[in-house]
Amino acid sequence: MLEIIVSVLGAFGGAAAVGAVVAKFVSDHVSKEWLQRQKSQLDTVLETHKASLSRETEAHKLTLKRQEMLYAREVAAADALMKLCRRIYPKYSRPDMDWHDAGEAVACRLEVVEREAEDFLEEHSPIVSDEVLRLVEEIKASAADAKFYVQERDGEADPQSIEVGQNIMTKLREAKDQIRKDLRR
């Protein structure tokens, strides 16, 4: 009887060992298959995320390139406005020259002022701020209106034209200050 019990236990033990081996094999196969599915899903998500990041990076690069080009044009407009100021503002021509004399010098060159302002607007109006645009347009309009009414006598312009010249210089200074603020924003 002992032999039967030992052979039955041996049979069950052998079956248990075979069952354990089969269970391990099935477990390993199922876990590998599960890991492959998970890896495949993660790879898909990763590739989608990489593509999204790549698109965002390209969009940011284009935005930065555009901003760089706009800034370069803003700097060019600021340079042009500074040159415009130097061309319109009268040169310091005598030791006792004052604001009235400067206004008179500008009043005697209103046609040139109009043309210079128009040239500036033609080239830079799309890029300058609304405030600078408004000021330069006012300078051009003032010069255009007043150039027909300048009355010179003995090398002097009339008081109304001198006032227009002074107003033009004031607006030029305001435009120059504004464009500097615009560049520093």
Side-chain angles (χ1 to χ4, degrees):
M1 172 92 164
L2 189 57
E3 285 182 1
I4 292 177
I5 292 176
V6 171
S7 67
V8 169
L9 283 176
F12 282 121
V18 170
V21 169
V22 169
K24 173 145 178 53
F25 175 76
V26 170
S27 172
D28 284 348
H29 179 69
V30 169
S31 66
K32 283 180 184 177
E33 191 176 295
W34 180 82
L35 282 174
Q36 281 184 328
R37 275 196 316 266
Q38 293 302 318
K39 185 179 181 301
S40 173
Q41 288 174 351
L42 289 174
D43 286 345
T44 302
V45 169
L46 179 64
E47 289 303 316
T48 303
H49 190 62
K50 279 183 183 178
S52 171
L53 287 175
S54 178
R55 281 191 304 273
E56 284 182 35
T57 301
E58 288 304 314
H60 285 299
K61 282 181 185 178
L62 288 174
T63 300
L64 286 173
K65 187 68 172 170
R66 180 177 180 270
Q67 287 175 344
E68 182 180 319
M69 288 172 40
L70 285 174
Y71 187 73
R73 295 233 13 230
E74 287 175 352
V75 169
D79 286 343
L81 185 67
M82 299 306 153
K83 288 176 185 174
L84 177 70
C85 289
R86 284 192 299 276
R87 286 191 301 266
I88 291 176
Y89 265 81
K91 304 290 183 251
Y92 188 66
S93 59
R94 58 185 184 273
D96 61 341
M97 187 174 180
D98 61 5
W99 184 246
H100 180 271
D101 296 330
E104 185 174 2
V106 172
C108 292
R109 297 180 19 249
L110 288 175
E111 196 167 317
V112 173
V113 170
E114 177 191 16
R115 186 178 61 248
E116 295 282 344
E118 190 169 334
D119 290 348
F120 175 84
L121 290 171
E122 197 173 286
E123 188 170 344
H124 300 289
S125 36
I127 203 71
V128 296
S129 69
D130 292 340
E131 180 64 15
V132 172
L133 184 63
R134 180 188 65 77
L135 289 165
V136 176
E137 284 176 342
E138 286 178 11
I139 290 167
K140 178 187 169 284
S142 296
D145 288 344
K147 73 180 177 185
F148 297 111
Y149 305 108
V150 175
Q151 297 175 2
E152 292 184 46
R153 60 183 190 287
D154 301 331
E156 295 180 3
D158 63 288
Q160 186 177 2
S161 298
I162 293 171
E163 189 177 315
V164 169
Q166 292 169 340
N167 189 25
I168 286 172
M169 290 188 300
T170 301
K171 287 182 185 199
L172 264 175
R173 187 174 41 241
E174 290 173 14
K176 189 167 67 170
D177 292 344
Q178 182 62 46
I179 208 161
R180 283 184 182 146
K181 286 179 191 173
D182 293 343
L183 284 177
R184 290 183 181 126
R185 62 177 149 79

